Amino acid sequence: MSHFCRVYAVVLIVLFALGIASASRASDNGEGDSDDALTPVEFNQEELVLMAVQGFIAPPGHWDPPYTIDPDGEIHVVPGTGSITYNFRTGDSAVNIAGDHVEPAVTLYNLGQAGERSSRESRGLNTLACIGNRVRVLDGEAKGAEGWVVGKHGGAEHVMVDFADDGVFDRLAIGDKMRVYATGLGLKFENVDGVKAFSLSPHLVEALTEAGMGVTADGVLRVPVTHLIPAKILGSGLGASQVYRGDYDIQLFDKGSVEESNLSTLRFGDIVAIVNADHTFGRIYRSGAITIGVVAHSRSDIAGHGPGVTSILTSAEGRIEPVIDPDANLAALLNLR
């Protein structure tokens, strides 16, 4: 063998070894294998109903007495749910905020004829609205402006909406009426088994697909997420028999867990994976299960509470493969910021 051939062979071996090492590091970091051919998810698009659902901008609420007490006995008096929140929107921190259960951007509710959060109209808004549904303002100075559903908050029975146009917010007023073009309830995947969807609009399916969601050769649904969160630290919302409405909360009281899962960086609109959580028929701990959700409201000082997660996907059999992507946030997915 000539000297040139020997040198060329050594170079090829080195390059091959570097390639293997690089692929190994990517896998270890939860980045997945970029060479895997992903198949776009198929679902029952033609069967899904598109229905008008109505909501009104909710006034801000507060507690009586006005303070909350944290698990260390400290007292806090800060803003809470409802209203138009100008400076904390999709993509902003859900943790570094002087608030408790603050909802990003604009909060909708519908008390209905009964004037109650448990009314039929309220359940209609909170069940039918799906993350990524289009929203139109129907009256007031911002009439005609369009935005997107970005979260659902249980207990308060609120639906959160954000707008790409910053100028819309100064034209909105509490009580303004909005129409949600609700579609997504009843969505079923046709080319991946063992995965169930909730509050997931076709528009968000398309956006997630463009961001790297798809079915692997092994029949697993790969989903980009910002964080992997252990189910053991989830709190308020456990015990619910369904996840079509509302959310459940990530507790941030254990410093070790917060540091280990990088939870101080949670943002409104983050797509997150909850490891060992099965939401098929309510929220339970199940080893090997994976649930995907959207961060919908802020941190809290109240025991058992924290940033709320609205469920959008679950697999009791672990047929979801979350892959870390710092850009997996509704701000980018819905072109809001």
Side-chain angles (χ1 to χ4, degrees):
M1 181 182 292
S2 69
H3 175 70
F4 173 79
C5 290
R6 284 196 298 270
V7 171
Y8 183 69
V10 169
V11 170
L12 286 178
I13 291 170
V14 170
L15 289 175
F16 181 70
L18 287 174
I20 291 176
S22 177
S24 176
R25 286 193 299 271
S27 178
D28 291 343
N29 291 331
E31 298 173 3
D33 187 346
S34 60
D35 292 332
D36 282 356
L38 296 178
T39 302
V41 291
E42 299 173 4
F43 61 96
N44 56 335
Q45 173 83 63
E46 300 299 321
E47 298 177 354
L48 295 179
V49 175
L50 175 62
M51 181 179 290
V53 181
Q54 196 160 281
F56 303 85
I57 298 181
H62 220 277
W63 300 271
D64 185 22
Y67 57 77
T68 59
I69 304 175
D70 69 25
D72 295 320
E74 297 293 327
I75 289 177
H76 305 268
V77 183
V78 291
T81 62
S83 197
I84 304 161
T85 302
Y86 300 100
N87 62 333
F88 281 92
R89 294 167 49 194
T90 309
D92 293 327
S93 177
V95 177
N96 301 315
I97 177 173
D100 195 304
H101 286 83
V102 170
E103 297 157 342
V106 181
T107 297
L108 301 184
Y109 74 162
N110 189 335
L111 301 182
Q113 295 181 355
E116 299 176 353
R117 295 180 190 275
S118 60
S119 70
R120 185 171 182 271
E121 295 89 340
S122 178
R123 290 196 298 270
L125 170 64
N126 284 273
T127 305
L128 291 165
C130 291
I131 309 298
N133 280 162
R134 183 166 60 96
V135 180
R136 177 184 287 266
V137 182
L138 297 180
D139 59 10
E141 293 182 23
K143 182 178 180 179
E146 292 195 342
W148 305 95
V149 172
V150 295
K152 297 160 76 167
H153 187 180
E157 304 308 315
H158 288 164
V159 171
M160 283 70 81
V161 174
D162 206 343
F163 297 84
D165 182 358
D166 294 347
V168 169
F169 288 82
D170 283 335
R171 302 199 304 272
L172 292 172
I174 291 171
D176 280 357
K177 181 168 53 179
M178 298 190 195
R179 178 192 300 134
V180 178
Y181 293 86
T183 185
L185 188 64
L187 187 150
K188 295 180 181 179
F189 293 128
E190 297 175 339
N191 62 335
V192 58
D193 295 326
V195 178
K196 190 172 183 180
F198 313 89
S199 300
L200 179 64
S201 71
H203 182 69
L204 185 53
V205 171
E206 180 181 346
L208 283 168
T209 300
E210 292 178 359
M213 183 175 78
V215 184
T216 70
D218 295 327
V220 173
L221 182 62
R222 182 176 295 168
V223 183
V225 300
T226 60
H227 298 75
L228 302 177
I229 303 171
K232 67 181 181 180
I233 64 170
L234 273 291
S236 178
L238 284 170
S241 61
Q242 57 81 31
V243 296
Y244 293 96
R245 297 191 297 270
D247 66 295
Y248 82 143
D249 293 4
I250 305 165
Q251 300 184 82
L252 301 179
F253 303 109
D254 182 68
K255 292 182 179 179
S257 296
V258 170
E259 292 177 1
E260 183 179 348
S261 299
N262 200 27
L263 300 180
S264 63
T265 63
L266 285 170
R267 302 165 296 176
F268 295 116
D270 273 349
I271 308 296
V272 299
I274 304 173
V275 181
N276 297 324
D278 175 17
H279 291 186
T280 307
F281 297 105
R283 303 181 182 104
I284 65 170
Y285 183 97
R286 189 189 299 275
S287 296
I290 296 287
T291 290
I292 304 295
V294 177
V295 176
H297 69 69
S298 82
R299 61 170 295 283
S300 172
D301 295 306
I302 303 170
H305 291 258
V309 178
T310 301
S311 309
I312 59 172
L313 294 166
T314 197
S315 176
E317 306 162 14
R319 304 291 294 172
I320 295 174
E321 177 191 339
V323 177
I324 294 296
D325 178 355
D327 296 325
N329 184 282
L330 294 181
L333 294 168
L334 301 179
N335 295 314
L336 285 167
R337 304 289 290 274

